[in-house]
Amino acid sequence: MVIRDEPPFDSRLLQQKFAQATRLIEKRDAEIAALSKERDEAVAGRDAAREENEKLLLILSQYKRAIFGRRSEKIDPAQLQLLLSQSEQPDIEAANENDAENTEASENTEASGGDKRSAPATASRPHRNRGRLPAHLPRIDVVIDVKDKACPCCGGVLHKIGEARKEMFDIVPIQFRVKRIIRPRYGCRACESSVVQAPAPSSPVDGGMASEALLAYVATMKYAYHVPLYRMEQMLAGQGIALDRSTLALWMGRVAWWLKPLHELLLDTVLSYPKVFADETPVPMLDPGRGRTKTCQFWAVATDDRPWGGPAPPAVVYVFAEDRSGRQARDIFEGYTGVVQVDGYAGYNGLVAPGRVGGPATLAFCFAHVRRKFYDVHVATKSPIAAQALLRIAALYEIEERIRSKSAEERRAVRQAKTKPLIDALKIWLDARLAEISAKSGLAKAIRYALVHWAGLTRFVDDGRIEIDSNVVERSMRPIGLGRKNHLFAGSPRGGETWSILSSLLNTAKLTQIDPQEYLTDILERIVAGSAKINRLHELLPWAWKSGRKAAELKTAA
């Protein structure tokens, strides 16, 4: 057996090797740290690029839909379900099951309580006019008879045994005419010093030649049906009438001057109700000296209590303003302490200030705006979270559809029993989803918008008078948008005021389902003639005018 001697122990060499190993480890740790930093920076850059890409896709999708896409935001629920993962579907299914159980329970309760009312088995079909023309239209008979009333077989005399009738929708072309005002003068042959003549009637335009009917026609065409004045100038020229558009514009300003007190009364009447809707939209106005237009605003205040049988009639009032500041909202709603249902614009926040004169108002917000933000994200990114949000909001609207035309008390009871659990679950779900996604994404912005306005969004659950959205005033803004598209801009602040006054009265008349031209002609004639006293001006409001006209027709028929 050979025994080898162990090499001598060299501590200095061992220390050198240890130092080399340590430096090598430190170098590798530094390299690893640098690589980790580069990796983190690359991941952060990738995430930022994804967020920016998602943001740009959302913006691009909104622009494309605004220019080329459809305006409707309806989505087939079956398509949304395909986007949801299996883990996300049970929440919605459970909510629907709870809603179905509540519905079944309420139906059983009604049955046990002796309520024999039954819902229709099938949805009513939309009414379509097939071959039947309105009965109130005058009929003009055109008889097409045979030329020879001798029998073609035997030559005997034919006698009438029946007739065939066919109705055709016809039109009498508009006819302009000259209305001559003749005032005979009378003198006395006995004294030869007295001349008697009826006083001249008031003219709607001082020194002008336009009658109230013509002014109402021009106003209705422009502000109710959005025909620009230059087109009306061409239409008149086609009948050999030369009228400059500046003359037509001057006439419209004069009509607005006559109707301004009625416009102010309409605004005061609308604000006398405890719940209103409000919105605003930009309108261009010429800005001389700058070579471009200035962005002004139309503020709208609307009422419509028909969904719950309340006292407020359908009406809308527009107010022209040169800016969108909160000061305009404070001026319009000065002293108002009711419920104002609006979008999320911060300009209305001054209405709820604790130190506000007369007390703070109450703001309710709009679920349609919340839904629109999730819809935009869904269209742009096909996000399953956005799809699930749309389904949850759709469940709320299904309940609202079932309680339409019910009283405020009934609506509140149903909302407390069925809507409130869905609202509470939606709040929890939104909080959870917000913690899972990037704070800079479009989806996060949509969720934060809902959560920031949550108190006002859910106010309808506790008050049966409040709607789930502000679509009443959104629909009332469409005529302003159509006018802005067709006649482009207001020529001056006075032109903007004229636009707001005439649009308010004409569009309220359309909401009241009366002929706006007939209405405007009648009230203009009565105001110009002085037969409408200031203390009875409320009788000229569209809904009151309609009631008065019906009462007069019934009295005449009797």
Side-chain angles (χ1 to χ4, degrees), residues 12-255:
R12 293 177 61 185
L13 180 61
L14 185 61
Q15 290 176 357
Q16 291 176 359
K17 291 184 177 181
F18 179 77
Q20 292 176 358
T22 302
R23 287 193 296 269
L24 182 60
I25 293 173
E26 291 176 351
K27 182 180 179 181
R28 291 183 177 179
D29 289 343
E31 292 176 353
I32 293 173
L35 292 174
S36 298
K37 183 179 180 180
E38 292 179 4
R39 180 203 62 191
D40 295 340
E41 291 176 353
V43 171
R46 179 202 64 187
D47 294 341
R50 286 180 176 176
E51 292 174 0
E52 184 68 16
N53 186 51
E54 180 183 341
K55 178 182 177 181
L56 294 176
L57 283 175
L58 179 59
I59 295 174
L60 180 61
S61 175
Q62 291 173 342
Y63 275 118
K64 288 174 64 177
R65 189 163 66 89
I67 298 174
F68 307 109
R70 62 176 188 171
R71 294 294 183 268
S72 175
E73 297 177 1
K74 292 182 179 180
I75 300 179
D76 186 0
Q79 295 180 356
L80 293 179
Q81 291 286 0
L82 294 175
L83 298 175
L84 299 178
S85 64
Q86 293 297 325
S87 61
E88 291 175 329
Q89 290 184 8
D91 294 336
I92 298 177
E93 292 174 356
N96 291 337
E97 289 176 1
N98 291 335
D99 189 17
E101 292 175 359
N102 291 333
T103 304
E104 183 178 358
S106 62
E107 291 175 352
N108 293 337
T109 302
E110 291 178 357
S112 62
D115 190 354
K116 297 182 180 181
R117 294 176 298 176
S118 59
T122 58
S124 60
R125 295 181 178 179
H127 176 73
R128 292 186 176 90
N129 188 0
R130 295 181 178 176
R132 295 184 180 180
L133 298 174
H136 69 275
L137 295 180
R139 262 60 178 176
I140 305 298
D141 293 334
V142 178
V143 179
I144 303 176
D145 206 349
V146 296
K147 295 181 179 180
D148 186 5
K149 294 185 179 181
C151 178
C153 296
C154 64
V157 179
L158 298 175
H159 66 280
K160 185 177 179 180
I161 59 175
E163 63 183 12
R165 291 196 175 195
K166 177 184 178 181
E167 291 191 340
M168 301 180 68
F169 200 23
D170 193 18
I171 183 175
V172 178
I174 184 171
Q175 180 183 10
F176 294 96
R177 62 186 182 182
V178 177
K179 181 180 179 181
R180 293 191 297 181
I181 307 297
I182 301 175
R183 298 183 296 127
R185 285 192 295 267
Y186 298 91
C188 179
R189 288 191 176 90
C191 61
E192 297 182 355
S193 61
S194 176
V195 177
V196 179
Q197 186 179 32
S202 300
S203 175
V205 180
D206 295 336
M209 56 183 177
S211 69
E212 293 87 350
L214 178 61
L215 295 176
Y217 166 75
V218 176
T220 304
M221 291 295 288
K222 179 175 182 181
Y223 297 107
Y225 302 119
H226 324 296
V227 179
L229 293 181
Y230 80 88
R231 292 186 194 168
M232 276 187 272
E233 182 183 8
Q234 296 171 355
M235 293 163 61
L236 291 168
Q239 299 199 29
I241 303 171
L243 268 178
D244 189 79
R245 73 189 73 171
S246 61
T247 302
L248 298 177
L250 180 64
W251 289 355
M252 294 301 96
R254 187 61 177 172
V255 173

Side-chain angles (χ1 to χ4, degrees), residues 421-470:
L422 299 181
I423 287 286
D424 295 340
L426 177 60
K427 174 68 164 55
I428 296 172
W429 181 81
L430 289 175
D431 287 329
R433 299 293 83 76
L434 184 61
E436 298 173 355
I437 61 178
S438 171
K440 297 182 180 180
S441 64
L443 182 59
K445 291 180 181 179
I447 295 177
R448 282 196 298 271
Y449 177 88
L451 295 178
V452 167
H453 299 91
W454 194 256
L457 283 172
T458 58
R459 192 154 279 131
F460 76 101
V461 177
D462 300 318
D463 191 338
R465 303 171 303 165
I466 301 177
E467 297 299 317
I468 190 174
D469 54 40
S470 59

Side-chain angles (χ1 to χ4, degrees), residues 71-73 223-224 226 279 281 300 316 318 372 471-486 499 507 510:
R71 294 294 183 268
S72 175
E73 297 177 1
Y223 297 107
H226 324 296
D279 197 10
T281 189
V316 60
Y318 305 106
R372 187 171 301 132
N471 283 348
V472 168
V473 72
E474 293 282 335
R475 289 191 295 268
S476 298
M477 277 301 190
R478 291 177 183 173
I480 302 301
L482 289 172
R484 179 178 56 210
K485 182 178 180 181
N486 288 351
W499 190 351
N507 285 304
K510 291 168 69 175

Side-chain angles (χ1 to χ4, degrees), residues 295-500:
T295 300
C296 299
Q297 295 289 325
F298 258 125
W299 296 74
V301 185
T303 60
D304 191 353
D305 286 349
R306 290 177 296 180
W308 58 278
V316 60
V317 189
Y318 305 106
V319 179
F320 177 79
E322 295 193 36
D323 57 58
R324 196 190 179 204
S325 65
R327 175 177 56 85
Q328 302 293 346
R330 292 192 297 271
D331 291 344
I332 294 172
F333 293 97
E334 183 178 2
Y336 186 78
T337 57
V339 178
V340 185
Q341 191 153 11
V342 298
D343 54 17
Y345 175 47
Y348 296 102
N349 292 342
L351 304 182
V352 297
R356 182 169 176 259
V357 178
T362 302
L363 291 185
F365 295 121
C366 172
F367 250 106
H369 284 77
V370 175
R371 184 189 184 279
R372 187 171 301 132
K373 294 184 180 298
F374 284 109
Y375 177 83
D376 290 338
V377 174
H378 165 73
V379 171
T381 65
K382 304 301 180 184
S383 167
I385 296 179
Q388 190 179 42
L390 291 174
L391 284 176
R392 288 175 177 269
I393 295 173
L396 303 178
Y397 274 89
E398 288 177 2
I399 299 174
E400 290 301 306
E401 187 64 27
R402 292 201 295 267
I403 62 176
R404 188 167 298 277
S405 301
K406 303 291 185 181
S407 67
E409 293 76 14
E410 290 177 297
R411 281 155 57 104
R412 181 184 181 278
V414 173
R415 286 169 176 173
Q416 289 290 319
K418 301 179 181 179
T419 305
K420 193 174 187 302
L422 299 181
I423 287 286
D424 295 340
L426 177 60
K427 174 68 164 55
I428 296 172
W429 181 81
L430 289 175
D431 287 329
R433 299 293 83 76
L434 184 61
E436 298 173 355
I437 61 178
S438 171
K440 297 182 180 180
S441 64
L443 182 59
K445 291 180 181 179
I447 295 177
R448 282 196 298 271
Y449 177 88
L451 295 178
V452 167
H453 299 91
W454 194 256
L457 283 172
T458 58
R459 192 154 279 131
F460 76 101
V461 177
D462 300 318
D463 191 338
R465 303 171 303 165
I466 301 177
E467 297 299 317
I468 190 174
D469 54 40
S470 59
N471 283 348
V472 168
V473 72
E474 293 282 335
R475 289 191 295 268
S476 298
M477 277 301 190
R478 291 177 183 173
I480 302 301
L482 289 172
R484 179 178 56 210
K485 182 178 180 181
N486 288 351
H487 43 82
L488 303 181
F489 51 77
S492 64
R494 184 178 177 183
E497 184 181 17
T498 297
W499 190 351
S500 66

